[in-house]
Amino acid sequence: MSELKINPNRRFLRPEKLPHFFCSGCGCGQVLNYFCQALDALDMTPEEMLTIGGVGCTARIPIYLKSDTFHGVHGRTLAWATGVKLVRPELPVVIFAGDGDLASIGGNHFIHAARRNLDVTVIMVNNLNFAMTGGQVAPTTPEGAHTMTTPYGSAEPRFDICKLAEAAGATHVERWTTSRPVQCVAAIKRALSHKGFSLIEIVSQCPTHFGRYALGSGDPQKLVQWIKDYTYTEAEGTKMTPEEREGKLLCAQFVNTERPVYEGTNEVL
Amino acid sequence: MAVYVDASLCKSCRLCIANCPKNVFQTTHKVNKKGYNYVEAVNEKDCIRCKLCERICPDFALHIE
């Protein structure tokens, strides 16, 4: 038996924290893997950046990275990032936030950070429900989905966070899924090298809550397949009728522009 | 060339088994420290080094060389 060789991308992770806290087959672990692959491809190290997480499953991702980390109040990740960027404008800031963190409780911080064009990278893992608190309905839950708090199906329309970011003035917006690893890594690479507010939304599986309540299965591969059917790329969209595209999410790069970034003012009041 | 599985990190999500084009992996009855039946590379000679499993593993348990 040869000696065990470990994944070289684990050099970015804190060894004492592994194995991580995510459930078996969780998309957050995959996003952490994609982020490490992007760091490896860009020759960056987590030590030179600040990662911020709020509350939720996704917000645990920074804990495993060997970076400076903030982890605390629900939804206030971008408020902290604004403060950090005003004091240390040269420090790269990466925010990991779930759909509960960004779309619901931190929605106001989100639109104003996008409006100001704050120079941060936001990686939003959209697992379509509030997973850490037990699978309640979230703003991003698809219409008609059964969750813990909507046992007869959600009656609310779904929130499209990429459209919101685009309308609020974000300069780099993309949506991908955990089932598309190569595109995810490429999108994170583009986001890390982008100057300005960049949002990468990654639609992810939640086998423990969304899978069991809404889809009737906790098998990660079935959920990945469901996510593949729930989303479509631009190339797939050209072959689909408008009725087939109804209710599904487009995976693409929506915005990639340049605009002056927010750096505050040097004048002392 | 070798397929390395870190049994202490595997959580038996079976994404590698479902995505491997050559059916290299299989779950075992062996149990790791956290109580999961970890996967093992049973058909290691069939591996074509596409590294899809290493890319998608949520637990950083796999390494292909």
Side-chain angles (χ1 to χ4, degrees), chain A residues 24-25 127-131 134-135 141-142 145-148 204-224 226-227:
Chain A
S24 170
N127 56 11
L128 309 169
N129 67 351
F130 287 113
T141 307
H146 297 252
T147 66
M148 190 194 212
S204 133
Q205 71 273 21
C206 176
T208 307
H209 294 299
F210 192 77
R212 281 194 304 137
Y213 286 119
L215 308 173
S217 166
D219 180 10
Q221 186 54 34
K222 278 188 189 163
L223 307 187
V224 168
W226 179 84
I227 286 173

PDB file of all heavy atoms in Angstrom, chain A residues 24-25 127-131 134-135 141-142 145-148 204-224 226-227:
ATOM      1  N   SER A  24     -23.308  15.506   4.209  1.00  0.00           N
ATOM      2  CA  SER A  24     -22.843  14.646   3.129  1.00  0.00           C
ATOM      3  C   SER A  24     -23.470  15.091   1.803  1.00  0.00           C
ATOM      4  O   SER A  24     -24.682  15.150   1.688  1.00  0.00           O
ATOM      5  CB  SER A  24     -23.240  13.216   3.455  1.00  0.00           C
ATOM      6  OG  SER A  24     -23.012  12.392   2.369  1.00  0.00           O
ATOM      7  N   GLY A  25     -22.631  15.433   0.818  1.00  0.00           N
ATOM      8  CA  GLY A  25     -23.125  15.839  -0.489  1.00  0.00           C
ATOM      9  C   GLY A  25     -23.556  17.274  -0.581  1.00  0.00           C
ATOM     10  O   GLY A  25     -24.202  17.672  -1.556  1.00  0.00           O
ATOM     11  N   ASN A 127     -28.996  27.767  -2.016  1.00  0.00           N
ATOM     12  CA  ASN A 127     -29.507  26.398  -1.847  1.00  0.00           C
ATOM     13  C   ASN A 127     -31.026  26.376  -1.721  1.00  0.00           C
ATOM     14  O   ASN A 127     -31.597  25.388  -1.300  1.00  0.00           O
ATOM     15  CB  ASN A 127     -28.823  25.687  -0.681  1.00  0.00           C
ATOM     16  CG  ASN A 127     -28.951  26.440   0.614  1.00  0.00           C
ATOM     17  OD1 ASN A 127     -29.708  27.383   0.711  1.00  0.00           O
ATOM     18  ND2 ASN A 127     -28.228  26.026   1.613  1.00  0.00           N
ATOM     19  N   LEU A 128     -31.684  27.468  -2.086  1.00  0.00           N
ATOM     20  CA  LEU A 128     -33.137  27.546  -2.304  1.00  0.00           C
ATOM     21  C   LEU A 128     -33.972  27.433  -1.028  1.00  0.00           C
ATOM     22  O   LEU A 128     -35.182  27.310  -1.102  1.00  0.00           O
ATOM     23  CB  LEU A 128     -33.613  26.498  -3.330  1.00  0.00           C
ATOM     24  CG  LEU A 128     -32.840  26.468  -4.656  1.00  0.00           C
ATOM     25  CD1 LEU A 128     -33.217  25.248  -5.449  1.00  0.00           C
ATOM     26  CD2 LEU A 128     -33.102  27.713  -5.469  1.00  0.00           C
ATOM     27  N   ASN A 129     -33.341  27.454   0.154  1.00  0.00           N
ATOM     28  CA  ASN A 129     -34.118  27.489   1.396  1.00  0.00           C
ATOM     29  C   ASN A 129     -33.213  27.976   2.523  1.00  0.00           C
ATOM     30  O   ASN A 129     -32.038  28.227   2.318  1.00  0.00           O
ATOM     31  CB  ASN A 129     -34.720  26.117   1.726  1.00  0.00           C
ATOM     32  CG  ASN A 129     -33.658  25.090   2.060  1.00  0.00           C
ATOM     33  OD1 ASN A 129     -32.471  25.309   1.900  1.00  0.00           O
ATOM     34  ND2 ASN A 129     -34.090  23.962   2.526  1.00  0.00           N
ATOM     35  N   PHE A 130     -33.788  28.123   3.727  1.00  0.00           N
ATOM     36  CA  PHE A 130     -32.975  28.428   4.904  1.00  0.00           C
ATOM     37  C   PHE A 130     -32.545  27.088   5.501  1.00  0.00           C
ATOM     38  O   PHE A 130     -33.305  26.454   6.229  1.00  0.00           O
ATOM     39  CB  PHE A 130     -33.779  29.213   5.937  1.00  0.00           C
ATOM     40  CG  PHE A 130     -34.046  30.633   5.559  1.00  0.00           C
ATOM     41  CD1 PHE A 130     -35.317  31.072   5.295  1.00  0.00           C
ATOM     42  CD2 PHE A 130     -33.010  31.538   5.488  1.00  0.00           C
ATOM     43  CE1 PHE A 130     -35.566  32.381   4.954  1.00  0.00           C
ATOM     44  CE2 PHE A 130     -33.253  32.860   5.157  1.00  0.00           C
ATOM     45  CZ  PHE A 130     -34.525  33.278   4.889  1.00  0.00           C
ATOM     46  N   ALA A 131     -31.316  26.669   5.183  1.00  0.00           N
ATOM     47  CA  ALA A 131     -30.948  25.288   5.516  1.00  0.00           C
ATOM     48  C   ALA A 131     -30.545  25.127   6.968  1.00  0.00           C
ATOM     49  O   ALA A 131     -30.914  24.139   7.601  1.00  0.00           O
ATOM     50  CB  ALA A 131     -29.833  24.835   4.597  1.00  0.00           C
ATOM     51  N   GLY A 134     -33.402  24.725   9.507  1.00  0.00           N
ATOM     52  CA  GLY A 134     -34.323  23.605   9.390  1.00  0.00           C
ATOM     53  C   GLY A 134     -35.154  23.564   8.124  1.00  0.00           C
ATOM     54  O   GLY A 134     -36.171  22.894   8.084  1.00  0.00           O
ATOM     55  N   GLY A 135     -34.772  24.283   7.088  1.00  0.00           N
ATOM     56  CA  GLY A 135     -35.449  24.143   5.803  1.00  0.00           C
ATOM     57  C   GLY A 135     -36.702  24.961   5.645  1.00  0.00           C
ATOM     58  O   GLY A 135     -37.680  24.498   5.065  1.00  0.00           O
ATOM     59  N   THR A 141     -36.838  30.371  -2.905  1.00  0.00           N
ATOM     60  CA  THR A 141     -37.505  29.076  -3.075  1.00  0.00           C
ATOM     61  C   THR A 141     -38.419  29.109  -4.304  1.00  0.00           C
ATOM     62  O   THR A 141     -39.172  30.062  -4.477  1.00  0.00           O
ATOM     63  CB  THR A 141     -38.345  28.753  -1.822  1.00  0.00           C
ATOM     64  OG1 THR A 141     -37.504  28.856  -0.686  1.00  0.00           O
ATOM     65  CG2 THR A 141     -38.934  27.369  -1.884  1.00  0.00           C
ATOM     66  N   PRO A 142     -38.365  28.108  -5.180  1.00  0.00           N
ATOM     67  CA  PRO A 142     -39.250  28.112  -6.351  1.00  0.00           C
ATOM     68  C   PRO A 142     -40.714  28.055  -5.943  1.00  0.00           C
ATOM     69  O   PRO A 142     -41.058  27.478  -4.914  1.00  0.00           O
ATOM     70  CB  PRO A 142     -38.844  26.851  -7.118  1.00  0.00           C
ATOM     71  CG  PRO A 142     -37.605  26.369  -6.500  1.00  0.00           C
ATOM     72  CD  PRO A 142     -37.483  26.953  -5.149  1.00  0.00           C
ATOM     73  N   ALA A 145     -42.920  25.015  -4.163  1.00  0.00           N
ATOM     74  CA  ALA A 145     -42.070  24.026  -3.486  1.00  0.00           C
ATOM     75  C   ALA A 145     -42.551  23.810  -2.062  1.00  0.00           C
ATOM     76  O   ALA A 145     -42.927  24.755  -1.366  1.00  0.00           O
ATOM     77  CB  ALA A 145     -40.620  24.500  -3.498  1.00  0.00           C
ATOM     78  N   HIS A 146     -42.510  22.563  -1.636  1.00  0.00           N
ATOM     79  CA  HIS A 146     -42.895  22.220  -0.264  1.00  0.00           C
ATOM     80  C   HIS A 146     -41.672  22.376   0.623  1.00  0.00           C
ATOM     81  O   HIS A 146     -40.639  21.783   0.359  1.00  0.00           O
ATOM     82  CB  HIS A 146     -43.403  20.780  -0.191  1.00  0.00           C
ATOM     83  CG  HIS A 146     -44.638  20.566  -1.014  1.00  0.00           C
ATOM     84  ND1 HIS A 146     -45.871  20.385  -0.453  1.00  0.00           N
ATOM     85  CD2 HIS A 146     -44.814  20.541  -2.347  1.00  0.00           C
ATOM     86  CE1 HIS A 146     -46.771  20.239  -1.423  1.00  0.00           C
ATOM     87  NE2 HIS A 146     -46.148  20.324  -2.581  1.00  0.00           N
ATOM     88  N   THR A 147     -41.794  23.185   1.657  1.00  0.00           N
ATOM     89  CA  THR A 147     -40.722  23.305   2.626  1.00  0.00           C
ATOM     90  C   THR A 147     -41.321  23.093   4.012  1.00  0.00           C
ATOM     91  O   THR A 147     -42.524  22.811   4.147  1.00  0.00           O
ATOM     92  CB  THR A 147     -40.050  24.690   2.571  1.00  0.00           C
ATOM     93  OG1 THR A 147     -40.994  25.669   2.984  1.00  0.00           O
ATOM     94  CG2 THR A 147     -39.551  25.009   1.182  1.00  0.00           C
ATOM     95  N   MET A 148     -40.466  23.269   5.030  1.00  0.00           N
ATOM     96  CA  MET A 148     -40.952  23.037   6.391  1.00  0.00           C
ATOM     97  C   MET A 148     -42.087  23.987   6.756  1.00  0.00           C
ATOM     98  O   MET A 148     -43.053  23.595   7.403  1.00  0.00           O
ATOM     99  CB  MET A 148     -39.780  23.225   7.347  1.00  0.00           C
ATOM    100  CG  MET A 148     -40.073  22.800   8.748  1.00  0.00           C
ATOM    101  SD  MET A 148     -38.805  23.433   9.815  1.00  0.00           S
ATOM    102  CE  MET A 148     -38.765  22.159  11.027  1.00  0.00           C
ATOM    103  N   SER A 204     -27.131  25.587  -5.600  1.00  0.00           N
ATOM    104  CA  SER A 204     -26.511  24.426  -4.975  1.00  0.00           C
ATOM    105  C   SER A 204     -27.562  23.496  -4.401  1.00  0.00           C
ATOM    106  O   SER A 204     -28.705  23.886  -4.161  1.00  0.00           O
ATOM    107  CB  SER A 204     -25.546  24.923  -3.900  1.00  0.00           C
ATOM    108  OG  SER A 204     -25.710  24.236  -2.713  1.00  0.00           O
ATOM    109  N   GLN A 205     -27.163  22.263  -4.160  1.00  0.00           N
ATOM    110  CA  GLN A 205     -28.095  21.275  -3.612  1.00  0.00           C
ATOM    111  C   GLN A 205     -28.047  21.283  -2.091  1.00  0.00           C
ATOM    112  O   GLN A 205     -27.008  21.556  -1.505  1.00  0.00           O
ATOM    113  CB  GLN A 205     -27.780  19.874  -4.163  1.00  0.00           C
ATOM    114  CG  GLN A 205     -26.511  19.240  -3.643  1.00  0.00           C
ATOM    115  CD  GLN A 205     -25.299  19.622  -4.451  1.00  0.00           C
ATOM    116  OE1 GLN A 205     -25.294  20.619  -5.135  1.00  0.00           O
ATOM    117  NE2 GLN A 205     -24.254  18.819  -4.353  1.00  0.00           N
ATOM    118  N   CYS A 206     -29.195  21.006  -1.474  1.00  0.00           N
ATOM    119  CA  CYS A 206     -29.258  20.850  -0.021  1.00  0.00           C
ATOM    120  C   CYS A 206     -29.922  19.507   0.251  1.00  0.00           C
ATOM    121  O   CYS A 206     -31.143  19.405   0.297  1.00  0.00           O
ATOM    122  CB  CYS A 206     -30.069  21.982   0.608  1.00  0.00           C
ATOM    123  SG  CYS A 206     -30.275  21.782   2.386  1.00  0.00           S
ATOM    124  N   PRO A 207     -29.143  18.432   0.363  1.00  0.00           N
ATOM    125  CA  PRO A 207     -29.760  17.108   0.513  1.00  0.00           C
ATOM    126  C   PRO A 207     -30.550  16.969   1.805  1.00  0.00           C
ATOM    127  O   PRO A 207     -31.546  16.247   1.853  1.00  0.00           O
ATOM    128  CB  PRO A 207     -28.555  16.157   0.526  1.00  0.00           C
ATOM    129  CG  PRO A 207     -27.396  16.935   0.063  1.00  0.00           C
ATOM    130  CD  PRO A 207     -27.671  18.366   0.372  1.00  0.00           C
ATOM    131  N   THR A 208     -30.143  17.663   2.842  1.00  0.00           N
ATOM    132  CA  THR A 208     -30.761  17.446   4.147  1.00  0.00           C
ATOM    133  C   THR A 208     -32.137  18.076   4.254  1.00  0.00           C
ATOM    134  O   THR A 208     -33.050  17.485   4.824  1.00  0.00           O
ATOM    135  CB  THR A 208     -29.839  17.992   5.240  1.00  0.00           C
ATOM    136  OG1 THR A 208     -28.546  17.423   5.054  1.00  0.00           O
ATOM    137  CG2 THR A 208     -30.330  17.638   6.610  1.00  0.00           C
ATOM    138  N   HIS A 209     -32.324  19.295   3.724  1.00  0.00           N
ATOM    139  CA  HIS A 209     -33.610  19.960   3.907  1.00  0.00           C
ATOM    140  C   HIS A 209     -34.388  20.131   2.607  1.00  0.00           C
ATOM    141  O   HIS A 209     -35.461  19.577   2.459  1.00  0.00           O
ATOM    142  CB  HIS A 209     -33.403  21.308   4.597  1.00  0.00           C
ATOM    143  CG  HIS A 209     -32.911  21.143   5.993  1.00  0.00           C
ATOM    144  ND1 HIS A 209     -33.647  20.479   6.938  1.00  0.00           N
ATOM    145  CD2 HIS A 209     -31.764  21.507   6.581  1.00  0.00           C
ATOM    146  CE1 HIS A 209     -32.971  20.450   8.069  1.00  0.00           C
ATOM    147  NE2 HIS A 209     -31.823  21.062   7.880  1.00  0.00           N
ATOM    148  N   PHE A 210     -33.833  20.917   1.644  1.00  0.00           N
ATOM    149  CA  PHE A 210     -34.607  21.151   0.425  1.00  0.00           C
ATOM    150  C   PHE A 210     -34.853  19.850  -0.334  1.00  0.00           C
ATOM    151  O   PHE A 210     -35.939  19.627  -0.867  1.00  0.00           O
ATOM    152  CB  PHE A 210     -33.885  22.174  -0.469  1.00  0.00           C
ATOM    153  CG  PHE A 210     -34.743  22.679  -1.588  1.00  0.00           C
ATOM    154  CD1 PHE A 210     -35.720  23.620  -1.347  1.00  0.00           C
ATOM    155  CD2 PHE A 210     -34.602  22.177  -2.868  1.00  0.00           C
ATOM    156  CE1 PHE A 210     -36.530  24.067  -2.362  1.00  0.00           C
ATOM    157  CE2 PHE A 210     -35.411  22.619  -3.891  1.00  0.00           C
ATOM    158  CZ  PHE A 210     -36.375  23.571  -3.636  1.00  0.00           C
ATOM    159  N   GLY A 211     -33.848  18.991  -0.344  1.00  0.00           N
ATOM    160  CA  GLY A 211     -34.011  17.721  -1.044  1.00  0.00           C
ATOM    161  C   GLY A 211     -35.110  16.876  -0.429  1.00  0.00           C
ATOM    162  O   GLY A 211     -35.982  16.364  -1.127  1.00  0.00           O
ATOM    163  N   ARG A 212     -35.087  16.762   0.879  1.00  0.00           N
ATOM    164  CA  ARG A 212     -36.060  15.874   1.528  1.00  0.00           C
ATOM    165  C   ARG A 212     -37.474  16.450   1.497  1.00  0.00           C
ATOM    166  O   ARG A 212     -38.435  15.750   1.213  1.00  0.00           O
ATOM    167  CB  ARG A 212     -35.638  15.630   2.977  1.00  0.00           C
ATOM    168  CG  ARG A 212     -34.537  14.615   3.119  1.00  0.00           C
ATOM    169  CD  ARG A 212     -34.404  14.168   4.551  1.00  0.00           C
ATOM    170  NE  ARG A 212     -34.180  15.280   5.437  1.00  0.00           N
ATOM    171  CZ  ARG A 212     -34.781  15.422   6.614  1.00  0.00           C
ATOM    172  NH1 ARG A 212     -35.624  14.521   7.019  1.00  0.00           N
ATOM    173  NH2 ARG A 212     -34.521  16.455   7.378  1.00  0.00           N
ATOM    174  N   TYR A 213     -37.603  17.772   1.779  1.00  0.00           N
ATOM    175  CA  TYR A 213     -38.950  18.356   1.860  1.00  0.00           C
ATOM    176  C   TYR A 213     -39.550  18.584   0.473  1.00  0.00           C
ATOM    177  O   TYR A 213     -40.686  18.219   0.205  1.00  0.00           O
ATOM    178  CB  TYR A 213     -38.907  19.688   2.605  1.00  0.00           C
ATOM    179  CG  TYR A 213     -38.720  19.569   4.101  1.00  0.00           C
ATOM    180  CD1 TYR A 213     -37.622  20.130   4.722  1.00  0.00           C
ATOM    181  CD2 TYR A 213     -39.655  18.906   4.879  1.00  0.00           C
ATOM    182  CE1 TYR A 213     -37.441  20.022   6.084  1.00  0.00           C
ATOM    183  CE2 TYR A 213     -39.486  18.787   6.242  1.00  0.00           C
ATOM    184  CZ  TYR A 213     -38.381  19.355   6.845  1.00  0.00           C
ATOM    185  OH  TYR A 213     -38.206  19.245   8.182  1.00  0.00           O
ATOM    186  N   ALA A 214     -38.768  19.238  -0.402  1.00  0.00           N
ATOM    187  CA  ALA A 214     -39.353  19.698  -1.660  1.00  0.00           C
ATOM    188  C   ALA A 214     -39.260  18.662  -2.764  1.00  0.00           C
ATOM    189  O   ALA A 214     -40.131  18.597  -3.626  1.00  0.00           O
ATOM    190  CB  ALA A 214     -38.661  20.989  -2.100  1.00  0.00           C
ATOM    191  N   LEU A 215     -38.201  17.864  -2.777  1.00  0.00           N
ATOM    192  CA  LEU A 215     -37.986  16.962  -3.893  1.00  0.00           C
ATOM    193  C   LEU A 215     -38.151  15.499  -3.514  1.00  0.00           C
ATOM    194  O   LEU A 215     -38.123  14.627  -4.378  1.00  0.00           O
ATOM    195  CB  LEU A 215     -36.588  17.189  -4.485  1.00  0.00           C
ATOM    196  CG  LEU A 215     -36.280  18.648  -4.841  1.00  0.00           C
ATOM    197  CD1 LEU A 215     -34.846  18.805  -5.252  1.00  0.00           C
ATOM    198  CD2 LEU A 215     -37.191  19.113  -5.963  1.00  0.00           C
ATOM    199  N   GLY A 216     -38.289  15.227  -2.224  1.00  0.00           N
ATOM    200  CA  GLY A 216     -38.570  13.865  -1.801  1.00  0.00           C
ATOM    201  C   GLY A 216     -37.380  12.927  -1.870  1.00  0.00           C
ATOM    202  O   GLY A 216     -37.553  11.713  -1.902  1.00  0.00           O
ATOM    203  N   SER A 217     -36.159  13.468  -1.897  1.00  0.00           N
ATOM    204  CA  SER A 217     -34.999  12.594  -1.944  1.00  0.00           C
ATOM    205  C   SER A 217     -33.811  13.295  -1.313  1.00  0.00           C
ATOM    206  O   SER A 217     -33.618  14.493  -1.491  1.00  0.00           O
ATOM    207  CB  SER A 217     -34.656  12.231  -3.394  1.00  0.00           C
ATOM    208  OG  SER A 217     -33.374  11.658  -3.445  1.00  0.00           O
ATOM    209  N   GLY A 218     -33.021  12.561  -0.574  1.00  0.00           N
ATOM    210  CA  GLY A 218     -31.813  13.134   0.002  1.00  0.00           C
ATOM    211  C   GLY A 218     -30.566  12.685  -0.719  1.00  0.00           C
ATOM    212  O   GLY A 218     -29.464  12.879  -0.228  1.00  0.00           O
ATOM    213  N   ASP A 219     -30.744  12.097  -1.908  1.00  0.00           N
ATOM    214  CA  ASP A 219     -29.588  11.617  -2.661  1.00  0.00           C
ATOM    215  C   ASP A 219     -28.940  12.795  -3.402  1.00  0.00           C
ATOM    216  O   ASP A 219     -29.583  13.396  -4.265  1.00  0.00           O
ATOM    217  CB  ASP A 219     -30.054  10.545  -3.657  1.00  0.00           C
ATOM    218  CG  ASP A 219     -28.896   9.992  -4.468  1.00  0.00           C
ATOM    219  OD1 ASP A 219     -27.741  10.300  -4.108  1.00  0.00           O
ATOM    220  OD2 ASP A 219     -29.147   9.260  -5.434  1.00  0.00           O
ATOM    221  N   PRO A 220     -27.689  13.151  -3.090  1.00  0.00           N
ATOM    222  CA  PRO A 220     -27.079  14.334  -3.713  1.00  0.00           C
ATOM    223  C   PRO A 220     -27.084  14.286  -5.244  1.00  0.00           C
ATOM    224  O   PRO A 220     -27.331  15.292  -5.896  1.00  0.00           O
ATOM    225  CB  PRO A 220     -25.646  14.322  -3.176  1.00  0.00           C
ATOM    226  CG  PRO A 220     -25.700  13.541  -1.932  1.00  0.00           C
ATOM    227  CD  PRO A 220     -26.798  12.545  -2.098  1.00  0.00           C
ATOM    228  N   GLN A 221     -26.868  13.103  -5.813  1.00  0.00           N
ATOM    229  CA  GLN A 221     -26.789  13.043  -7.277  1.00  0.00           C
ATOM    230  C   GLN A 221     -28.151  13.328  -7.908  1.00  0.00           C
ATOM    231  O   GLN A 221     -28.240  13.982  -8.944  1.00  0.00           O
ATOM    232  CB  GLN A 221     -26.259  11.682  -7.714  1.00  0.00           C
ATOM    233  CG  GLN A 221     -26.011  11.559  -9.196  1.00  0.00           C
ATOM    234  CD  GLN A 221     -25.114  12.653  -9.752  1.00  0.00           C
ATOM    235  OE1 GLN A 221     -24.205  13.115  -9.068  1.00  0.00           O
ATOM    236  NE2 GLN A 221     -25.382  13.085 -10.974  1.00  0.00           N
ATOM    237  N   LYS A 222     -29.244  12.891  -7.274  1.00  0.00           N
ATOM    238  CA  LYS A 222     -30.585  13.188  -7.802  1.00  0.00           C
ATOM    239  C   LYS A 222     -30.836  14.694  -7.752  1.00  0.00           C
ATOM    240  O   LYS A 222     -31.440  15.269  -8.656  1.00  0.00           O
ATOM    241  CB  LYS A 222     -31.646  12.464  -6.986  1.00  0.00           C
ATOM    242  CG  LYS A 222     -31.838  11.029  -7.403  1.00  0.00           C
ATOM    243  CD  LYS A 222     -33.026  10.427  -6.692  1.00  0.00           C
ATOM    244  CE  LYS A 222     -33.081   8.930  -6.957  1.00  0.00           C
ATOM    245  NZ  LYS A 222     -33.932   8.240  -5.998  1.00  0.00           N
ATOM    246  N   LEU A 223     -30.352  15.333  -6.677  1.00  0.00           N
ATOM    247  CA  LEU A 223     -30.559  16.774  -6.541  1.00  0.00           C
ATOM    248  C   LEU A 223     -29.724  17.532  -7.566  1.00  0.00           C
ATOM    249  O   LEU A 223     -30.176  18.533  -8.128  1.00  0.00           O
ATOM    250  CB  LEU A 223     -30.190  17.243  -5.139  1.00  0.00           C
ATOM    251  CG  LEU A 223     -30.846  16.498  -3.991  1.00  0.00           C
ATOM    252  CD1 LEU A 223     -30.516  17.167  -2.687  1.00  0.00           C
ATOM    253  CD2 LEU A 223     -32.337  16.450  -4.171  1.00  0.00           C
ATOM    254  N   VAL A 224     -28.488  17.066  -7.813  1.00  0.00           N
ATOM    255  CA  VAL A 224     -27.656  17.707  -8.831  1.00  0.00           C
ATOM    256  C   VAL A 224     -28.341  17.607 -10.190  1.00  0.00           C
ATOM    257  O   VAL A 224     -28.367  18.561 -10.968  1.00  0.00           O
ATOM    258  CB  VAL A 224     -26.252  17.065  -8.843  1.00  0.00           C
ATOM    259  CG1 VAL A 224     -25.470  17.491 -10.064  1.00  0.00           C
ATOM    260  CG2 VAL A 224     -25.484  17.439  -7.593  1.00  0.00           C
ATOM    261  N   TRP A 226     -31.569  17.346 -10.648  1.00  0.00           N
ATOM    262  CA  TRP A 226     -32.724  18.253 -10.610  1.00  0.00           C
ATOM    263  C   TRP A 226     -32.272  19.686 -10.882  1.00  0.00           C
ATOM    264  O   TRP A 226     -32.938  20.430 -11.606  1.00  0.00           O
ATOM    265  CB  TRP A 226     -33.411  18.164  -9.246  1.00  0.00           C
ATOM    266  CG  TRP A 226     -34.586  19.083  -9.139  1.00  0.00           C
ATOM    267  CD1 TRP A 226     -35.859  18.826  -9.563  1.00  0.00           C
ATOM    268  CD2 TRP A 226     -34.600  20.414  -8.610  1.00  0.00           C
ATOM    269  NE1 TRP A 226     -36.664  19.914  -9.319  1.00  0.00           N
ATOM    270  CE2 TRP A 226     -35.911  20.902  -8.741  1.00  0.00           C
ATOM    271  CE3 TRP A 226     -33.633  21.238  -8.041  1.00  0.00           C
ATOM    272  CZ2 TRP A 226     -36.288  22.183  -8.325  1.00  0.00           C
ATOM    273  CZ3 TRP A 226     -33.992  22.507  -7.625  1.00  0.00           C
ATOM    274  CH2 TRP A 226     -35.302  22.973  -7.763  1.00  0.00           C
ATOM    275  N   ILE A 227     -31.112  20.083 -10.302  1.00  0.00           N
ATOM    276  CA  ILE A 227     -30.605  21.444 -10.519  1.00  0.00           C
ATOM    277  C   ILE A 227     -30.246  21.635 -11.984  1.00  0.00           C
ATOM    278  O   ILE A 227     -30.487  22.686 -12.573  1.00  0.00           O
ATOM    279  CB  ILE A 227     -29.401  21.707  -9.593  1.00  0.00           C
ATOM    280  CG1 ILE A 227     -29.890  21.905  -8.169  1.00  0.00           C
ATOM    281  CG2 ILE A 227     -28.611  22.923 -10.036  1.00  0.00           C
ATOM    282  CD1 ILE A 227     -28.801  22.014  -7.154  1.00  0.00           C
TER     283      ILE A 227
END
